Amino acid sequence: MRLTPEQVAIIKQAAVEVFGDEVIVKLFGSRLDDAVRGGDIDLLVESSDLIENRMDKMLTLTARLQLRLGDQPIDILVVDPSTPLNPVHRHAIQTGQAL
């Protein structure tokens, strides 16, 4: 995993601030491969509860992470019981590593 312990802590803290204590945050995509360089930070935020104002919260989390981690590309998927899963969601759920 190509995130420092400090970056992991920042991501987890920001996700809890925005989405609440019950969310699970997973890293997926190229940042899981230690042999690859670069790439954006792909995050999956999972909740067993319905998330109201999903888009607003996703944008808020992105902004907080940009401010705290520096200006770098961050992609966030949010999944709750109402989310119609597409192939990208399934891939993230299957391959993501919990932070």
Side-chain angles (χ1 to χ4, degrees):
M1 176 185 305
R2 290 183 295 118
L3 291 176
T4 66
E6 180 182 6
Q7 289 172 318
V8 170
I10 289 168
I11 292 167
K12 288 169 60 174
Q13 178 184 355
V16 167
E17 289 170 7
V18 174
F19 289 97
D21 293 331
E22 301 303 316
V23 296
I24 297 170
V25 182
K26 294 181 180 179
L27 178 71
F28 70 99
S30 62
R31 288 283 181 124
L32 287 176
D33 188 346
D34 291 334
V36 177
R37 297 192 53 92
D40 56 354
I41 298 174
D42 296 309
L43 299 173
L44 172 67
V45 177
E46 292 181 289
S47 175
S48 57
D49 298 324
L50 292 177
I51 298 172
E52 294 185 24
N53 304 314
R54 178 193 320 232
M55 183 60 73
D56 290 341
K57 289 181 178 182
M58 185 175 67
L59 293 172
T60 299
L61 178 57
T62 301
R64 287 185 188 191
L65 292 176
Q66 291 275 329
L67 290 171
R68 295 176 188 178
L69 297 174
D71 189 23
Q72 55 185 303
I74 300 170
D75 293 326
I76 299 173
L77 296 176
V78 179
V79 173
D80 70 9
S82 71
T83 305
L85 298 180
N86 64 35
V88 175
H89 291 110
R90 287 186 190 92
H91 172 74
I93 291 167
Q94 292 171 351
T95 65
Q97 183 176 340
L99 299 181

